[in-house]
Amino acid sequence: MSPIISVLLDLRTIDLERRKLRQVREEKRGHLAKAEQAAALAATAAAAAKAEHDRHEALLRQYQGDIARCEAEITRLRADQPNAKTNREYMAIINGIEHAKSERVQREASVKDITARMAALAEKSAALQRKSDELAARVAQVRAAAAEAEKPSPEEQALTERYDARKVDCPAEFLESYERLAKANHPNPLCRVDPTTRATPYGQILSHHQVESIRLGKLVIDRGSNAILYLG
């Protein structure tokens, strides 16, 4: 095998190892986006539950105020009963008392219903808030891991040093072609040619001239895949 190809195969091996480590770092950054999205949705749900609870709480205060108003009205009207001078005035007081009593009963029923619902709403709101807090804390942890993943690990740095030390043995023409393919995430930047059949893995048969050019150490590119061809 050509010494140049041996260098390129070594570079390819190092590249694949670095890619695995880089993918791990990229996944950590992706985890941050997912964690932030989940935390945002949880915060929105918690806020909506709290708003619903607060709305019922405001209604409860309003109805309790209505009950107090009705009771005050009943007390006032009863105090006015002895002062009624005509039957019409007396009946107006009686009707006013009955109306206030009816409204009070309605408001008391509403208070009872809202009070029951608020217990469930408070539990739901507290549960959603706990979940929101947990996911917010999770975001902080994932963000720290993602920040750490912004820089290469010592293992990845060591691979880069190995790559840089090895690539000095590769002619510029070959290195430029290889690195261009690697940067483009080419699945197979180096394509093996069977020295006996002159066939590539893609079924293409090389001409004798192409094979001889490869033997002479020249750069030969596969037209179909753009990969660097080598005999092996």
Side-chain angles (χ1 to χ4, degrees):
M1 181 181 292
S2 164
I4 297 174
I5 296 302
S6 294
V7 173
L8 289 177
L9 289 173
D10 287 346
L11 295 181
R12 181 59 177 166
T13 299
I14 295 172
D15 259 342
L16 291 175
E17 293 179 20
R18 286 196 303 181
R19 181 178 296 180
K20 290 179 182 178
L21 296 175
R22 187 165 57 249
Q23 286 176 340
V24 171
R25 292 197 291 118
E26 290 172 351
E27 285 175 1
K28 289 181 179 180
R29 292 196 292 269
H31 291 163
L32 175 59
K34 291 180 180 179
E36 288 176 335
Q37 182 180 24
L41 290 173
T44 299
K50 184 179 184 304
E52 181 69 3
H53 178 273
D54 291 348
R55 186 177 71 83
H56 280 72
E57 192 172 48
L59 279 174
L60 180 62
R61 289 194 299 270
Q62 177 186 329
Y63 291 156
Q64 288 173 335
D66 289 342
I67 291 172
R69 175 178 51 76
C70 289
E71 290 177 344
E73 181 68 3
I74 292 170
T75 299
R76 184 187 68 79
L77 290 172
R78 281 176 176 170
D80 285 345
Q81 271 185 292
N83 300 323
K85 296 179 180 179
T86 64
N87 187 59
R88 184 174 181 178
E89 289 179 354
Y90 183 81
M91 290 306 300
I93 291 172
I94 294 298
N95 289 335
I97 291 173
E98 292 303 317
H99 178 77
K101 285 182 177 180
S102 176
E103 183 181 356
R104 183 180 64 183
V105 169
Q106 292 176 1
R107 292 296 182 259
E108 286 174 342
S110 295
V111 165
K112 184 178 179 180
D113 178 61
I114 290 176
T115 300
R117 278 189 286 170
M118 280 185 65
L121 286 171
E123 184 177 348
K124 177 182 178 181
S125 178
L128 288 173
Q129 188 58 53
R130 285 194 299 272
K131 181 179 180 180
S132 178
D133 293 341
E134 289 171 2
L135 290 176
R138 172 63 178 161
V139 166
Q141 295 173 351
V142 176
R143 182 174 289 118
E148 183 66 23
E150 289 295 329
K151 55 184 178 181
S153 65
E155 185 180 1
E156 193 175 345
Q157 291 175 342
L159 287 171
T160 298
E161 290 174 2
R162 280 178 52 196
Y163 183 96
D164 292 341
R166 191 70 173 111
K167 75 178 184 180
V168 298
D169 297 325
C170 185
E173 183 182 17
F174 280 83
L175 183 62
E176 289 172 4
S177 295
Y178 168 76
E179 290 189 333
R180 182 173 62 253
L181 294 170
K183 186 176 181 180
N185 292 321
H186 194 292
N188 296 297
L190 304 172
C191 182
R192 178 182 173 277
V193 178
D194 188 293
T196 303
T197 64
R198 295 180 283 114
T200 71
Y202 306 106
Q204 179 183 354
I205 305 299
L206 270 63
S207 67
H208 288 288
H209 175 72
Q210 287 175 307
V211 171
E212 187 59 26
S213 295
I214 295 174
R215 291 187 191 280
L216 293 173
K218 295 182 179 180
L219 177 63
V220 180
I221 302 295
D222 177 45
R223 292 182 179 178
S225 65
N226 292 322
I228 299 173
L229 297 173
Y230 72 94
L231 297 175

